Amino acid sequence: NSGGTLYIDGGSLTINGTTQMLIGRTSTFNGDVQMSAGTLTATGIYLGNAGATTPVGTFTQTGGTINTGILDIGGKSSFTHSAGTNNVNGTLKLENTTSTYTHTTGISVINVAGDFNNNGVYTTGTGAATINIAGNWYNNLTFTTSSTHTVTFNGTGSQTISGSVSSKFNNLTINNNAGVNISNDQTVNSTLTLTSGNLTIGSNNLILGSNASAVAGGPFSAAKMIVADGSGEVRKNFTANGSYAFPIGDNTGTAEYS
């Protein structure tokens, strides 16, 4: 189909085998998808293309559940997410500066089993956005946070928060026994929670904003702490005199926390 809108308002839509859902990437379906309920299952969902010069390929999710191996958002394409759950069993990728993923005013959840690769504009609005990442985090352009979103790193192998642009998180949760490393400066504006595993900063700075509350998840230990045994610093911004407890240890030789 060229043009038009595909509505998913209930039931189950499964795209079998290795067939992928191409929305605006070819002339096969050069339209939009609006999903309010039901379940959509696909090997991959691809919106738009890197060389697009006009808006092409949009997906709006206001409910329901998506299960896809890959979610790839190309140029001049957008994914708008206000409610429901988006399960990406592989990589979530925003291809370029005109690719957008926007959480709006509702309660939305995205679970990414692979990497988060952002070369576009990823925005969390005024709703309660939950972003769970089991792979690595690569932020190379714009990650805009709101006061109500939480990013959780919940992989089973060691994870990295990196990219060419530093990220500013609202709530950041570490829930990975294998630990999470940062490879450039990162900021947490509200609550850093250490549920399991260490957060290692290396030669980079971890910045806790002026409104950041005490680090949650205690009691802390050598297996659940901020590892600061390089040249990096843990910094807390203040707007007035105050005190703050930093759950910091080192992992040189034997991991130690005191």
Side-chain angles (χ1 to χ4, degrees), residues 5-73:
T5 301
L6 170 64
Y7 294 94
I8 305 173
D9 297 323
S12 297
L13 173 60
T14 300
I15 301 175
N16 290 322
T18 59
T19 303
Q20 297 164 338
M21 192 172 194
L22 307 178
I23 305 166
R25 185 148 294 196
T26 69
S27 59
T28 303
F29 182 72
N30 192 21
D32 306 304
V33 177
Q34 295 187 17
M35 181 174 185
S36 62
T39 302
L40 169 63
T41 302
T43 301
I45 297 175
Y46 293 80
L47 304 177
N49 60 77
T53 56
T54 58
V56 55
T58 66
F59 200 120
T60 302
Q61 184 182 9
T62 59
T65 300
I66 297 172
N67 299 303
T68 181
I70 295 172
L71 177 55
D72 187 291
I73 303 172

Side-chain angles (χ1 to χ4, degrees), residues 90-152:
T91 298
L92 167 62
K93 185 175 184 179
L94 279 66
E95 291 280 356
N96 64 31
T97 59
T98 61
S99 308
T100 64
Y101 193 113
T102 304
H103 295 268
T104 57
T105 57
I107 299 174
S108 55
V109 177
I110 182 167
N111 300 307
V112 181
D115 293 339
F116 172 94
N117 193 339
N118 178 32
N119 302 299
V121 179
Y122 196 104
T123 304
T124 63
T126 58
T130 298
I131 304 165
N132 298 315
I133 307 294
N136 295 319
W137 176 280
Y138 303 100
N139 181 43
N140 300 314
L141 192 62
T142 303
F143 177 72
T144 303
T145 64
S146 69
S147 61
T148 52
H149 90 271
T150 299
V151 176
T152 298

